[in-house]
Amino acid sequence: MDSLIAIWESVPEALRIVIVILLKIIAILLPVIIAVAYTTFAERKIIGYMQVRCGPNRVGPKGWLQPIADTLKLMFKEIIVPTKSSKAVFFIAPMLALAPALAVWSVIPFWEGGVLSDINAGLLFVLAITSLDVFGIILAGWASNSKYAILSSMRVGAQVVAYEIAMGFALVGVLMLAGSLNLTEIVNAQAGGIQNWFMWPLFGLLVVYFISGVAETNRAPFDVAEGESEIVAGFHVEYSGMAFALFFLAEYASMLLISILTVLLFLGGWLSPFGGMEGLLSIPVLGTILGDGIHWLFLKAFFFLVLYLWFRATFPRYRYDQIMRLGWKILIPVTLVWIFGIGIYKGLQIEGIL
Amino acid sequence: MTFELFIFYVFATVSVLSAVGVVTMRNPVYAALFLILAFFTSAATWILLEAEFLGVVLVLVYVGAVMVLFLFVIMMLDINIDPLREGFIRYLPFGILIAVVIAAEIIMVLSSDVFVMEIPKAAPLDFSNTKALGEILYTDYVYPFELAAVILLVAMVAAISLAMRKRNDGTKRQIPADQIRTKSTDRLRVVKMKSEEKL
């Protein structure tokens, strides 16, 4: 043990910092990737039960090894490069899709102080990096040299840019109430029990945010980018094996991210709904379980994740012009009116009337 | 060389090389991709300068929105590259002249006394660039700020009015309301006829 410490101390200071940061990144990303694998399993199981089927139940006990089998299958599949495709871009595109989807996790706080990089413009960083997701999809469509794929990238480009505006406006409401762009401070501004969560004063923005989140991740009912009935599978029609798996990974990582962000911004993150009830929280074991903690974050995020799956099991796909109409003519005006209301509330508060 | 200086040189090199790539690439999509890289690395250097708000907004607005639409348009165009390069030698002297003039102007401006200033001290760790920018934007510069917003709005309205055209060319369109209101008698006329008589 002592020799280990001696080895550690002989490493130069700068290198030690890099090693610690790398270990932290692995500690965040490994659970994310495992969660992605089991989200695909949960999706098939939950939608299966909703449609009175069993879902996958052959690999391992009750199908629990299904995601591992899927991963192995994808890894050993051949990657086919279409002729006349732009080869460099064809291979860069899946990486461009995955890298931002994973980079965003660096500013997500999981509990008080449990964050890789606690930057003061965290919310802006999240918005900026998630806006890069779309390049992977657009370039994949272009590089594939396929008509279906490029049609899909056109759809994604317009859809994501449109819904980013509604999403950004929904976040403006949150930062007006919290008075900060730092995600930890935003959560702490909601402390003091379920009645202090931003979901009550910002309910409209919560709905808008989640709907735009579903549209941003190209999930049903807004998955016209994939539209099997019209354009086969859209932008990833020419991709196979691991290259396809990276798109898959990026999509599910974004889903998890939107679920966790919704919880952090509107439902108090890791804060317990029983916050402020001192009597209840001072009970030895029960108090720890019911008190603030990462389990609340996961529990609430799981609800939104199931909502994603529920949408997919329930709603038919939107028509493309209806998607654009919903984004531009309904969601954006709703957010504008809501922000105006919050502005008045804040103004009255500053004037001392409220 | 400190670690920060090392990072700066990495980003600066990538930034300059990608800017060169923008003008030398033959395929316009590759040029646009290099432009994205140039924006991204410039944002990184801004963040190194403690201007994290500007850096993030550069990525958010230019990379995340403007360049998406740029790529969108470039991909739709079927550009034939050969005619673009036809007049290269003919326009070369003129191009060099413009480049020299612009370079001379930039050097003259940057070497003037206006830009000579002391290097400001690093801001404390808890200093929020975003907050400072917001405070100054909504107090000292509130009128220019609002004016800029109105000008942008006018530009947007102008663009929409230019692009919007009402079609009077007799194009047939679906009007769902009419389709729903239609009664069977509008579409179908039942004609009473005698059945075929026996010969």
Side-chain angles (χ1 to χ4, degrees), chain B residues 68 86 102 120 150 154 178 182 197:
Chain B
V68 172
E86 264 173 11
I102 290 177
V150 171
V154 170
D178 282 358
T182 310
E197 283 175 25

Side-chain angles (χ1 to χ4, degrees), chain A residues 17-306:
Chain A
I17 296 171
V18 171
I19 291 173
V20 169
I21 290 176
L22 280 179
L23 286 178
K24 278 184 186 171
I25 291 174
I26 292 170
I28 293 174
L29 287 191
L30 208 62
V32 166
I33 287 171
I34 293 171
V36 164
Y38 275 92
T39 308
T40 64
F41 179 61
E43 174 169 37
R44 294 163 74 179
K45 271 286 187 196
I46 291 171
I47 293 181
Y49 288 136
M50 281 178 182
Q51 296 168 343
V52 205
R53 300 182 278 116
C54 286
N57 61 356
R58 282 287 167 268
V59 191
K62 302 236 171 200
W64 273 92
L65 295 179
Q66 183 72 40
I68 293 163
D70 284 342
T71 319
L72 282 177
K73 184 194 79 174
L74 283 170
M75 280 198 318
F76 289 113
K77 265 184 153 179
E78 185 188 356
I79 296 177
I80 298 162
V81 184
T83 46
K84 282 195 172 179
S85 65
S86 172
K87 288 201 181 47
V89 180
F90 187 80
F91 285 112
I92 290 173
M95 298 177 208
L96 272 183
L98 184 62
L102 295 183
V104 187
W105 293 90
S106 58
V107 295
I108 302 295
F110 295 96
W111 61 87
E112 178 87 51
V115 51
L116 179 67
S117 171
D118 197 15
I119 60 175
N120 54 20
L123 201 55
L124 269 178
F125 178 86
V126 169
L127 258 183
I129 298 297
T130 48
S131 73
L132 298 181
D133 272 348
V134 62
F135 281 113
I137 295 176
I138 291 190
L139 291 176
W142 179 77
S144 300
N145 189 29
S146 154
K147 291 205 170 51
Y148 291 126
I150 197 134
L151 269 175
S152 161
S153 16
M154 294 293 133
R155 289 180 176 190
V156 175
Q159 179 181 330
V160 168
V161 170
Y163 276 84
E164 223 153 62
I165 299 169
M167 199 177 211
F169 274 138
L171 297 184
V172 168
V174 174
L175 71 94
M176 277 170 87
L177 272 195
S180 171
L181 280 168
N182 181 302
L183 286 166
T184 309
E185 280 177 32
I186 288 174
V187 172
N188 283 337
Q190 307 176 53
I194 192 167
Q195 71 279 3
N196 284 3
W197 292 355
F198 286 162
M199 63 179 284
W200 308 116
L202 299 178
F203 188 75
L205 295 186
L206 166 66
V207 173
V208 169
Y209 180 80
F210 194 68
I211 293 176
S212 339
V214 174
E216 286 268 297
T217 44
N218 297 312
R219 293 285 302 180
F222 304 116
D223 58 344
V224 287
E226 286 169 38
E228 301 91 339
S229 50
E230 310 140 19
I231 49 173
V232 201
F235 59 93
H236 56 57
V237 62
E238 304 291 348
Y239 281 85
S240 59
M242 254 350 250
F244 165 74
L246 291 191
F247 282 118
F248 209 66
L249 209 65
E251 181 179 326
Y252 281 78
S254 307
M255 269 168 69
L256 292 176
L257 181 86
I258 294 285
S259 308
I260 284 206
L261 268 179
T262 315
V263 170
L264 287 175
L265 299 174
F266 295 98
L267 277 89
W270 57 83
L271 298 174
S272 154
F274 306 107
M277 298 182 194
E278 295 301 329
L280 188 68
L281 293 181
S282 55
I283 304 169
V285 181
L286 198 66
T288 328
I289 296 171
L290 294 181
D292 304 341
I294 191 169
H295 53 288
W296 283 112
L297 180 71
F298 287 157
L299 203 66
K300 295 173 202 166
F302 185 70
F303 170 75
F304 282 100
L305 201 61
V306 172

Side-chain angles (χ1 to χ4, degrees), chain A residues 18 86-89 120-121 124-125 127-129 131-132 134-135 138-139 142 150 153-154 157-158 161 164 179 181, chain B residues 27 29-30 33 36 40 52-53 56-57 59-60 63-65 67-69 71-72 75-76 127-131:
Chain A
V18 171
S86 172
K87 288 201 181 47
V89 180
N120 54 20
L124 269 178
F125 178 86
L127 258 183
I129 298 297
S131 73
L132 298 181
V134 62
F135 281 113
I138 291 190
L139 291 176
W142 179 77
I150 197 134
S153 16
M154 294 293 133
V161 170
E164 223 153 62
L181 280 168
Chain B
N27 190 330
V29 172
Y30 289 155
L33 287 180
I36 292 168
F40 201 78
E52 77 272 0
F53 182 78
V56 169
V57 167
V59 173
L60 183 62
V63 181
M67 287 314 293
V68 172
L69 298 176
L71 268 180
F72 204 89
M75 285 175 184
M76 298 280 270
F127 178 78
S128 173
N129 190 290
T130 317
K131 212 168 191 166

Side-chain angles (χ1 to χ4, degrees), chain B residues 111-164:
Chain B
S111 59
S112 67
D113 297 341
V114 184
F115 286 95
V116 179
M117 57 186 260
E118 284 173 38
I119 298 168
K121 275 183 208 147
L125 199 60
D126 59 341
F127 178 78
S128 173
N129 190 290
T130 317
K131 212 168 191 166
L133 205 66
E135 269 167 9
I136 206 167
L137 214 54
Y138 285 100
T139 51
D140 294 356
Y141 294 98
V142 65
Y143 291 118
F145 179 72
E146 295 294 334
L147 210 62
V150 171
I151 291 171
L152 280 175
L153 184 69
V154 170
M156 206 156 82
V157 171
I160 291 172
S161 70
L162 278 179
M164 191 136 107

